[in-house]
Amino acid sequence: MKTMTNPLTSRADALLRWQFRMNNRLLTCGVTQSGASGFSVITLPHWDVKRSTVETFPSQASALQRHAMIAERLRSAGWSIESYTR
């Protein structure tokens, strides 16, 4: 049986991770370094992991800007920050 690991918690190259909560739902959005020259923004809805997304960016700055955009939209929609790491 193949076991999936959470790329936001199992990787040493995670730069930041924010977990959001709305009612009984959790969603994690984080930035990881993906290879030597790229960065990924990973969005993981815990109630439906099949809807997870991974977006890649050439620079850390562009990945962090995308993360900030996602976080702002979630907070505007009523999500609250449950926890964060950097």
Side-chain angles (χ1 to χ4, degrees), residues 33-69:
Q33 187 163 7
S34 55
S37 62
F39 296 85
S40 296
V41 176
I42 301 169
T43 305
L44 174 68
H46 294 256
W47 69 94
D48 188 1
V49 295
K50 291 180 183 178
R51 293 182 59 203
S52 298
T53 61
V54 177
E55 300 173 79
T56 57
F57 296 88
S59 71
Q60 183 178 8
S62 57
L64 291 171
Q65 287 174 341
R66 178 63 177 144
H67 180 275
M69 181 185 298

PDB file of all heavy atoms in Angstrom, residues 33-69:
ATOM      1  N   GLN A  33      10.769  25.135  -1.116  1.00  0.00           N
ATOM      2  CA  GLN A  33      11.731  25.211  -2.205  1.00  0.00           C
ATOM      3  C   GLN A  33      11.609  23.922  -2.997  1.00  0.00           C
ATOM      4  O   GLN A  33      11.590  22.831  -2.425  1.00  0.00           O
ATOM      5  CB  GLN A  33      13.144  25.383  -1.695  1.00  0.00           C
ATOM      6  CG  GLN A  33      14.119  25.630  -2.822  1.00  0.00           C
ATOM      7  CD  GLN A  33      15.436  26.198  -2.356  1.00  0.00           C
ATOM      8  OE1 GLN A  33      15.690  26.309  -1.159  1.00  0.00           O
ATOM      9  NE2 GLN A  33      16.274  26.559  -3.293  1.00  0.00           N
ATOM     10  N   SER A  34      11.463  24.040  -4.298  1.00  0.00           N
ATOM     11  CA  SER A  34      11.287  22.854  -5.140  1.00  0.00           C
ATOM     12  C   SER A  34      12.440  22.771  -6.133  1.00  0.00           C
ATOM     13  O   SER A  34      12.420  23.385  -7.179  1.00  0.00           O
ATOM     14  CB  SER A  34       9.941  22.897  -5.866  1.00  0.00           C
ATOM     15  OG  SER A  34       9.798  24.085  -6.605  1.00  0.00           O
ATOM     16  N   GLY A  35      13.449  22.050  -5.764  1.00  0.00           N
ATOM     17  CA  GLY A  35      14.618  21.938  -6.625  1.00  0.00           C
ATOM     18  C   GLY A  35      15.565  23.093  -6.412  1.00  0.00           C
ATOM     19  O   GLY A  35      15.407  23.913  -5.515  1.00  0.00           O
ATOM     20  N   ALA A  36      16.551  23.162  -7.263  1.00  0.00           N
ATOM     21  CA  ALA A  36      17.605  24.158  -7.107  1.00  0.00           C
ATOM     22  C   ALA A  36      17.166  25.569  -7.465  1.00  0.00           C
ATOM     23  O   ALA A  36      17.725  26.535  -6.959  1.00  0.00           O
ATOM     24  CB  ALA A  36      18.805  23.762  -7.964  1.00  0.00           C
ATOM     25  N   SER A  37      16.168  25.707  -8.332  1.00  0.00           N
ATOM     26  CA  SER A  37      15.848  27.055  -8.803  1.00  0.00           C
ATOM     27  C   SER A  37      14.364  27.367  -8.822  1.00  0.00           C
ATOM     28  O   SER A  37      13.925  28.230  -9.584  1.00  0.00           O
ATOM     29  CB  SER A  37      16.409  27.242 -10.206  1.00  0.00           C
ATOM     30  OG  SER A  37      15.799  26.307 -11.083  1.00  0.00           O
ATOM     31  N   GLY A  38      13.578  26.725  -8.000  1.00  0.00           N
ATOM     32  CA  GLY A  38      12.153  26.998  -8.015  1.00  0.00           C
ATOM     33  C   GLY A  38      11.535  26.918  -6.633  1.00  0.00           C
ATOM     34  O   GLY A  38      12.125  26.404  -5.689  1.00  0.00           O
ATOM     35  N   PHE A  39      10.320  27.444  -6.551  1.00  0.00           N
ATOM     36  CA  PHE A  39       9.568  27.457  -5.299  1.00  0.00           C
ATOM     37  C   PHE A  39       8.135  27.056  -5.607  1.00  0.00           C
ATOM     38  O   PHE A  39       7.618  27.361  -6.681  1.00  0.00           O
ATOM     39  CB  PHE A  39       9.620  28.848  -4.658  1.00  0.00           C
ATOM     40  CG  PHE A  39      11.018  29.240  -4.270  1.00  0.00           C
ATOM     41  CD1 PHE A  39      11.868  29.822  -5.193  1.00  0.00           C
ATOM     42  CD2 PHE A  39      11.492  28.975  -3.002  1.00  0.00           C
ATOM     43  CE1 PHE A  39      13.170  30.162  -4.857  1.00  0.00           C
ATOM     44  CE2 PHE A  39      12.797  29.301  -2.657  1.00  0.00           C
ATOM     45  CZ  PHE A  39      13.630  29.891  -3.581  1.00  0.00           C
ATOM     46  N   SER A  40       7.511  26.362  -4.662  1.00  0.00           N
ATOM     47  CA  SER A  40       6.146  25.904  -4.841  1.00  0.00           C
ATOM     48  C   SER A  40       5.249  26.482  -3.769  1.00  0.00           C
ATOM     49  O   SER A  40       5.642  26.582  -2.605  1.00  0.00           O
ATOM     50  CB  SER A  40       6.064  24.370  -4.756  1.00  0.00           C
ATOM     51  OG  SER A  40       6.782  23.776  -5.799  1.00  0.00           O
ATOM     52  N   VAL A  41       4.042  26.853  -4.173  1.00  0.00           N
ATOM     53  CA  VAL A  41       2.991  27.228  -3.236  1.00  0.00           C
ATOM     54  C   VAL A  41       2.002  26.070  -3.240  1.00  0.00           C
ATOM     55  O   VAL A  41       1.442  25.734  -4.286  1.00  0.00           O
ATOM     56  CB  VAL A  41       2.295  28.545  -3.639  1.00  0.00           C
ATOM     57  CG1 VAL A  41       1.144  28.856  -2.690  1.00  0.00           C
ATOM     58  CG2 VAL A  41       3.299  29.690  -3.664  1.00  0.00           C
ATOM     59  N   ILE A  42       1.843  25.453  -2.077  1.00  0.00           N
ATOM     60  CA  ILE A  42       0.994  24.277  -1.954  1.00  0.00           C
ATOM     61  C   ILE A  42      -0.226  24.659  -1.123  1.00  0.00           C
ATOM     62  O   ILE A  42      -0.087  25.214  -0.026  1.00  0.00           O
ATOM     63  CB  ILE A  42       1.756  23.119  -1.278  1.00  0.00           C
ATOM     64  CG1 ILE A  42       2.997  22.787  -2.105  1.00  0.00           C
ATOM     65  CG2 ILE A  42       0.850  21.902  -1.101  1.00  0.00           C
ATOM     66  CD1 ILE A  42       3.967  21.857  -1.418  1.00  0.00           C
ATOM     67  N   THR A  43      -1.411  24.375  -1.655  1.00  0.00           N
ATOM     68  CA  THR A  43      -2.657  24.611  -0.941  1.00  0.00           C
ATOM     69  C   THR A  43      -3.323  23.262  -0.732  1.00  0.00           C
ATOM     70  O   THR A  43      -3.568  22.533  -1.696  1.00  0.00           O
ATOM     71  CB  THR A  43      -3.576  25.555  -1.743  1.00  0.00           C
ATOM     72  OG1 THR A  43      -2.857  26.750  -2.043  1.00  0.00           O
ATOM     73  CG2 THR A  43      -4.826  25.907  -0.961  1.00  0.00           C
ATOM     74  N   LEU A  44      -3.604  22.939   0.533  1.00  0.00           N
ATOM     75  CA  LEU A  44      -4.095  21.620   0.897  1.00  0.00           C
ATOM     76  C   LEU A  44      -5.363  21.732   1.743  1.00  0.00           C
ATOM     77  O   LEU A  44      -5.291  22.050   2.933  1.00  0.00           O
ATOM     78  CB  LEU A  44      -3.014  20.871   1.683  1.00  0.00           C
ATOM     79  CG  LEU A  44      -3.377  19.530   2.281  1.00  0.00           C
ATOM     80  CD1 LEU A  44      -3.602  18.495   1.192  1.00  0.00           C
ATOM     81  CD2 LEU A  44      -2.284  19.076   3.229  1.00  0.00           C
ATOM     82  N   PRO A  45      -6.548  21.510   1.147  1.00  0.00           N
ATOM     83  CA  PRO A  45      -7.770  21.458   1.951  1.00  0.00           C
ATOM     84  C   PRO A  45      -7.863  20.079   2.618  1.00  0.00           C
ATOM     85  O   PRO A  45      -7.971  19.069   1.934  1.00  0.00           O
ATOM     86  CB  PRO A  45      -8.886  21.675   0.920  1.00  0.00           C
ATOM     87  CG  PRO A  45      -8.300  21.256  -0.383  1.00  0.00           C
ATOM     88  CD  PRO A  45      -6.814  21.414  -0.274  1.00  0.00           C
ATOM     89  N   HIS A  46      -7.782  20.030   3.921  1.00  0.00           N
ATOM     90  CA  HIS A  46      -7.693  18.765   4.649  1.00  0.00           C
ATOM     91  C   HIS A  46      -8.939  17.897   4.499  1.00  0.00           C
ATOM     92  O   HIS A  46      -8.844  16.684   4.610  1.00  0.00           O
ATOM     93  CB  HIS A  46      -7.403  19.024   6.129  1.00  0.00           C
ATOM     94  CG  HIS A  46      -6.056  19.614   6.357  1.00  0.00           C
ATOM     95  ND1 HIS A  46      -5.001  18.885   6.836  1.00  0.00           N
ATOM     96  CD2 HIS A  46      -5.581  20.872   6.137  1.00  0.00           C
ATOM     97  CE1 HIS A  46      -3.931  19.665   6.927  1.00  0.00           C
ATOM     98  NE2 HIS A  46      -4.260  20.872   6.504  1.00  0.00           N
ATOM     99  N   TRP A  47     -10.072  18.488   4.220  1.00  0.00           N
ATOM    100  CA  TRP A  47     -11.305  17.716   4.072  1.00  0.00           C
ATOM    101  C   TRP A  47     -11.438  17.087   2.683  1.00  0.00           C
ATOM    102  O   TRP A  47     -12.271  16.220   2.472  1.00  0.00           O
ATOM    103  CB  TRP A  47     -12.531  18.585   4.379  1.00  0.00           C
ATOM    104  CG  TRP A  47     -12.766  19.651   3.354  1.00  0.00           C
ATOM    105  CD1 TRP A  47     -13.587  19.571   2.263  1.00  0.00           C
ATOM    106  CD2 TRP A  47     -12.173  20.946   3.295  1.00  0.00           C
ATOM    107  NE1 TRP A  47     -13.533  20.725   1.530  1.00  0.00           N
ATOM    108  CE2 TRP A  47     -12.665  21.596   2.152  1.00  0.00           C
ATOM    109  CE3 TRP A  47     -11.262  21.619   4.105  1.00  0.00           C
ATOM    110  CZ2 TRP A  47     -12.289  22.872   1.799  1.00  0.00           C
ATOM    111  CZ3 TRP A  47     -10.897  22.905   3.748  1.00  0.00           C
ATOM    112  CH2 TRP A  47     -11.399  23.520   2.611  1.00  0.00           C
ATOM    113  N   ASP A  48     -10.613  17.530   1.738  1.00  0.00           N
ATOM    114  CA  ASP A  48     -10.667  16.993   0.375  1.00  0.00           C
ATOM    115  C   ASP A  48      -9.287  17.132  -0.265  1.00  0.00           C
ATOM    116  O   ASP A  48      -9.060  18.004  -1.101  1.00  0.00           O
ATOM    117  CB  ASP A  48     -11.730  17.739  -0.437  1.00  0.00           C
ATOM    118  CG  ASP A  48     -11.977  17.123  -1.806  1.00  0.00           C
ATOM    119  OD1 ASP A  48     -11.344  16.093  -2.140  1.00  0.00           O
ATOM    120  OD2 ASP A  48     -12.810  17.663  -2.552  1.00  0.00           O
ATOM    121  N   VAL A  49      -8.370  16.247   0.115  1.00  0.00           N
ATOM    122  CA  VAL A  49      -6.984  16.379  -0.337  1.00  0.00           C
ATOM    123  C   VAL A  49      -6.840  16.235  -1.850  1.00  0.00           C
ATOM    124  O   VAL A  49      -5.848  16.700  -2.412  1.00  0.00           O
ATOM    125  CB  VAL A  49      -6.047  15.396   0.390  1.00  0.00           C
ATOM    126  CG1 VAL A  49      -5.970  15.726   1.866  1.00  0.00           C
ATOM    127  CG2 VAL A  49      -6.460  13.966   0.177  1.00  0.00           C
ATOM    128  N   LYS A  50      -7.818  15.663  -2.515  1.00  0.00           N
ATOM    129  CA  LYS A  50      -7.764  15.561  -3.974  1.00  0.00           C
ATOM    130  C   LYS A  50      -7.826  16.934  -4.636  1.00  0.00           C
ATOM    131  O   LYS A  50      -7.453  17.083  -5.793  1.00  0.00           O
ATOM    132  CB  LYS A  50      -8.894  14.676  -4.494  1.00  0.00           C
ATOM    133  CG  LYS A  50      -8.721  13.225  -4.116  1.00  0.00           C
ATOM    134  CD  LYS A  50      -9.864  12.395  -4.642  1.00  0.00           C
ATOM    135  CE  LYS A  50      -9.709  10.956  -4.181  1.00  0.00           C
ATOM    136  NZ  LYS A  50     -10.834  10.121  -4.625  1.00  0.00           N
ATOM    137  N   ARG A  51      -8.302  17.929  -3.918  1.00  0.00           N
ATOM    138  CA  ARG A  51      -8.397  19.292  -4.452  1.00  0.00           C
ATOM    139  C   ARG A  51      -7.147  20.118  -4.147  1.00  0.00           C
ATOM    140  O   ARG A  51      -7.115  21.323  -4.393  1.00  0.00           O
ATOM    141  CB  ARG A  51      -9.637  19.982  -3.890  1.00  0.00           C
ATOM    142  CG  ARG A  51     -10.926  19.337  -4.393  1.00  0.00           C
ATOM    143  CD  ARG A  51     -12.159  20.024  -3.882  1.00  0.00           C
ATOM    144  NE  ARG A  51     -12.151  21.427  -4.296  1.00  0.00           N
ATOM    145  CZ  ARG A  51     -12.820  22.392  -3.674  1.00  0.00           C
ATOM    146  NH1 ARG A  51     -13.526  22.110  -2.609  1.00  0.00           N
ATOM    147  NH2 ARG A  51     -12.780  23.630  -4.105  1.00  0.00           N
ATOM    148  N   SER A  52      -6.111  19.487  -3.641  1.00  0.00           N
ATOM    149  CA  SER A  52      -4.852  20.188  -3.363  1.00  0.00           C
ATOM    150  C   SER A  52      -4.265  20.744  -4.660  1.00  0.00           C
ATOM    151  O   SER A  52      -4.454  20.169  -5.731  1.00  0.00           O
ATOM    152  CB  SER A  52      -3.844  19.231  -2.739  1.00  0.00           C
ATOM    153  OG  SER A  52      -4.327  18.742  -1.525  1.00  0.00           O
ATOM    154  N   THR A  53      -3.557  21.850  -4.525  1.00  0.00           N
ATOM    155  CA  THR A  53      -2.899  22.439  -5.691  1.00  0.00           C
ATOM    156  C   THR A  53      -1.437  22.711  -5.376  1.00  0.00           C
ATOM    157  O   THR A  53      -1.071  22.964  -4.227  1.00  0.00           O
ATOM    158  CB  THR A  53      -3.563  23.764  -6.129  1.00  0.00           C
ATOM    159  OG1 THR A  53      -3.464  24.711  -5.069  1.00  0.00           O
ATOM    160  CG2 THR A  53      -5.011  23.555  -6.519  1.00  0.00           C
ATOM    161  N   VAL A  54      -0.625  22.665  -6.413  1.00  0.00           N
ATOM    162  CA  VAL A  54       0.784  23.028  -6.323  1.00  0.00           C
ATOM    163  C   VAL A  54       1.064  23.978  -7.479  1.00  0.00           C
ATOM    164  O   VAL A  54       0.846  23.636  -8.638  1.00  0.00           O
ATOM    165  CB  VAL A  54       1.709  21.795  -6.424  1.00  0.00           C
ATOM    166  CG1 VAL A  54       3.173  22.218  -6.394  1.00  0.00           C
ATOM    167  CG2 VAL A  54       1.396  20.794  -5.324  1.00  0.00           C
ATOM    168  N   GLU A  55       1.506  25.182  -7.149  1.00  0.00           N
ATOM    169  CA  GLU A  55       1.877  26.170  -8.156  1.00  0.00           C
ATOM    170  C   GLU A  55       3.377  26.405  -8.027  1.00  0.00           C
ATOM    171  O   GLU A  55       3.881  26.573  -6.923  1.00  0.00           O
ATOM    172  CB  GLU A  55       1.138  27.482  -7.923  1.00  0.00           C
ATOM    173  CG  GLU A  55      -0.377  27.355  -7.984  1.00  0.00           C
ATOM    174  CD  GLU A  55      -1.049  28.648  -7.582  1.00  0.00           C
ATOM    175  OE1 GLU A  55      -1.108  29.580  -8.422  1.00  0.00           O
ATOM    176  OE2 GLU A  55      -1.490  28.741  -6.425  1.00  0.00           O
ATOM    177  N   THR A  56       4.083  26.443  -9.146  1.00  0.00           N
ATOM    178  CA  THR A  56       5.527  26.651  -9.096  1.00  0.00           C
ATOM    179  C   THR A  56       5.882  28.047  -9.596  1.00  0.00           C
ATOM    180  O   THR A  56       5.233  28.590 -10.497  1.00  0.00           O
ATOM    181  CB  THR A  56       6.275  25.590  -9.919  1.00  0.00           C
ATOM    182  OG1 THR A  56       5.793  25.628 -11.263  1.00  0.00           O
ATOM    183  CG2 THR A  56       6.068  24.215  -9.343  1.00  0.00           C
ATOM    184  N   PHE A  57       6.937  28.593  -9.001  1.00  0.00           N
ATOM    185  CA  PHE A  57       7.389  29.950  -9.304  1.00  0.00           C
ATOM    186  C   PHE A  57       8.910  29.959  -9.415  1.00  0.00           C
ATOM    187  O   PHE A  57       9.587  29.200  -8.723  1.00  0.00           O
ATOM    188  CB  PHE A  57       6.938  30.923  -8.198  1.00  0.00           C
ATOM    189  CG  PHE A  57       5.443  31.032  -8.101  1.00  0.00           C
ATOM    190  CD1 PHE A  57       4.727  30.162  -7.295  1.00  0.00           C
ATOM    191  CD2 PHE A  57       4.752  31.980  -8.826  1.00  0.00           C
ATOM    192  CE1 PHE A  57       3.341  30.232  -7.210  1.00  0.00           C
ATOM    193  CE2 PHE A  57       3.376  32.074  -8.744  1.00  0.00           C
ATOM    194  CZ  PHE A  57       2.674  31.200  -7.940  1.00  0.00           C
ATOM    195  N   PRO A  58       9.458  30.847 -10.240  1.00  0.00           N
ATOM    196  CA  PRO A  58      10.910  30.884 -10.426  1.00  0.00           C
ATOM    197  C   PRO A  58      11.659  31.552  -9.281  1.00  0.00           C
ATOM    198  O   PRO A  58      12.852  31.333  -9.119  1.00  0.00           O
ATOM    199  CB  PRO A  58      11.084  31.672 -11.727  1.00  0.00           C
ATOM    200  CG  PRO A  58       9.875  32.544 -11.787  1.00  0.00           C
ATOM    201  CD  PRO A  58       8.767  31.746 -11.153  1.00  0.00           C
ATOM    202  N   SER A  59      10.953  32.361  -8.467  1.00  0.00           N
ATOM    203  CA  SER A  59      11.648  33.072  -7.395  1.00  0.00           C
ATOM    204  C   SER A  59      10.890  32.943  -6.079  1.00  0.00           C
ATOM    205  O   SER A  59       9.670  32.752  -6.058  1.00  0.00           O
ATOM    206  CB  SER A  59      11.816  34.556  -7.738  1.00  0.00           C
ATOM    207  OG  SER A  59      10.561  35.209  -7.680  1.00  0.00           O
ATOM    208  N   GLN A  60      11.628  33.070  -5.008  1.00  0.00           N
ATOM    209  CA  GLN A  60      11.026  33.031  -3.682  1.00  0.00           C
ATOM    210  C   GLN A  60      10.045  34.192  -3.516  1.00  0.00           C
ATOM    211  O   GLN A  60       8.967  34.024  -2.955  1.00  0.00           O
ATOM    212  CB  GLN A  60      12.112  33.089  -2.611  1.00  0.00           C
ATOM    213  CG  GLN A  60      11.578  32.994  -1.207  1.00  0.00           C
ATOM    214  CD  GLN A  60      12.697  33.014  -0.171  1.00  0.00           C
ATOM    215  OE1 GLN A  60      13.858  33.243  -0.485  1.00  0.00           O
ATOM    216  NE2 GLN A  60      12.348  32.775   1.067  1.00  0.00           N
ATOM    217  N   ALA A  61      10.411  35.359  -4.014  1.00  0.00           N
ATOM    218  CA  ALA A  61       9.550  36.535  -3.879  1.00  0.00           C
ATOM    219  C   ALA A  61       8.198  36.321  -4.551  1.00  0.00           C
ATOM    220  O   ALA A  61       7.158  36.652  -3.973  1.00  0.00           O
ATOM    221  CB  ALA A  61      10.242  37.767  -4.462  1.00  0.00           C
ATOM    222  N   SER A  62       8.188  35.754  -5.743  1.00  0.00           N
ATOM    223  CA  SER A  62       6.916  35.545  -6.430  1.00  0.00           C
ATOM    224  C   SER A  62       6.071  34.487  -5.722  1.00  0.00           C
ATOM    225  O   SER A  62       4.846  34.606  -5.649  1.00  0.00           O
ATOM    226  CB  SER A  62       7.132  35.191  -7.908  1.00  0.00           C
ATOM    227  OG  SER A  62       7.942  34.042  -8.042  1.00  0.00           O
ATOM    228  N   ALA A  63       6.709  33.465  -5.160  1.00  0.00           N
ATOM    229  CA  ALA A  63       5.972  32.442  -4.402  1.00  0.00           C
ATOM    230  C   ALA A  63       5.374  33.051  -3.132  1.00  0.00           C
ATOM    231  O   ALA A  63       4.224  32.774  -2.788  1.00  0.00           O
ATOM    232  CB  ALA A  63       6.875  31.268  -4.069  1.00  0.00           C
ATOM    233  N   LEU A  64       6.141  33.875  -2.441  1.00  0.00           N
ATOM    234  CA  LEU A  64       5.633  34.513  -1.228  1.00  0.00           C
ATOM    235  C   LEU A  64       4.507  35.496  -1.538  1.00  0.00           C
ATOM    236  O   LEU A  64       3.547  35.612  -0.767  1.00  0.00           O
ATOM    237  CB  LEU A  64       6.769  35.206  -0.483  1.00  0.00           C
ATOM    238  CG  LEU A  64       7.796  34.262   0.144  1.00  0.00           C
ATOM    239  CD1 LEU A  64       8.991  35.051   0.678  1.00  0.00           C
ATOM    240  CD2 LEU A  64       7.174  33.414   1.241  1.00  0.00           C
ATOM    241  N   GLN A  65       4.588  36.184  -2.673  1.00  0.00           N
ATOM    242  CA  GLN A  65       3.501  37.078  -3.081  1.00  0.00           C
ATOM    243  C   GLN A  65       2.223  36.286  -3.345  1.00  0.00           C
ATOM    244  O   GLN A  65       1.134  36.711  -2.965  1.00  0.00           O
ATOM    245  CB  GLN A  65       3.898  37.877  -4.319  1.00  0.00           C
ATOM    246  CG  GLN A  65       4.899  38.952  -4.032  1.00  0.00           C
ATOM    247  CD  GLN A  65       5.398  39.631  -5.300  1.00  0.00           C
ATOM    248  OE1 GLN A  65       5.281  39.106  -6.402  1.00  0.00           O
ATOM    249  NE2 GLN A  65       5.973  40.813  -5.136  1.00  0.00           N
ATOM    250  N   ARG A  66       2.350  35.138  -3.989  1.00  0.00           N
ATOM    251  CA  ARG A  66       1.179  34.292  -4.248  1.00  0.00           C
ATOM    252  C   ARG A  66       0.584  33.778  -2.940  1.00  0.00           C
ATOM    253  O   ARG A  66      -0.633  33.764  -2.766  1.00  0.00           O
ATOM    254  CB  ARG A  66       1.554  33.137  -5.180  1.00  0.00           C
ATOM    255  CG  ARG A  66       0.427  32.188  -5.454  1.00  0.00           C
ATOM    256  CD  ARG A  66      -0.724  32.854  -6.186  1.00  0.00           C
ATOM    257  NE  ARG A  66      -1.743  31.865  -6.486  1.00  0.00           N
ATOM    258  CZ  ARG A  66      -3.049  32.110  -6.465  1.00  0.00           C
ATOM    259  NH1 ARG A  66      -3.493  33.331  -6.216  1.00  0.00           N
ATOM    260  NH2 ARG A  66      -3.901  31.149  -6.718  1.00  0.00           N
ATOM    261  N   HIS A  67       1.446  33.355  -2.020  1.00  0.00           N
ATOM    262  CA  HIS A  67       0.968  32.904  -0.712  1.00  0.00           C
ATOM    263  C   HIS A  67       0.190  34.025  -0.020  1.00  0.00           C
ATOM    264  O   HIS A  67      -0.884  33.795   0.548  1.00  0.00           O
ATOM    265  CB  HIS A  67       2.142  32.449   0.157  1.00  0.00           C
ATOM    266  CG  HIS A  67       1.735  31.976   1.509  1.00  0.00           C
ATOM    267  ND1 HIS A  67       1.556  32.841   2.561  1.00  0.00           N
ATOM    268  CD2 HIS A  67       1.455  30.736   1.979  1.00  0.00           C
ATOM    269  CE1 HIS A  67       1.188  32.157   3.631  1.00  0.00           C
ATOM    270  NE2 HIS A  67       1.125  30.871   3.299  1.00  0.00           N
ATOM    271  N   ALA A  68       0.725  35.241  -0.051  1.00  0.00           N
ATOM    272  CA  ALA A  68       0.058  36.381   0.581  1.00  0.00           C
ATOM    273  C   ALA A  68      -1.301  36.648  -0.064  1.00  0.00           C
ATOM    274  O   ALA A  68      -2.276  36.963   0.631  1.00  0.00           O
ATOM    275  CB  ALA A  68       0.951  37.619   0.487  1.00  0.00           C
ATOM    276  N   MET A  69      -1.390  36.500  -1.383  1.00  0.00           N
ATOM    277  CA  MET A  69      -2.655  36.706  -2.084  1.00  0.00           C
ATOM    278  C   MET A  69      -3.694  35.665  -1.651  1.00  0.00           C
ATOM    279  O   MET A  69      -4.852  35.999  -1.377  1.00  0.00           O
ATOM    280  CB  MET A  69      -2.448  36.629  -3.601  1.00  0.00           C
ATOM    281  CG  MET A  69      -3.711  36.849  -4.411  1.00  0.00           C
ATOM    282  SD  MET A  69      -3.456  36.593  -6.193  1.00  0.00           S
ATOM    283  CE  MET A  69      -2.260  37.866  -6.524  1.00  0.00           C
TER     284      MET A  69
END
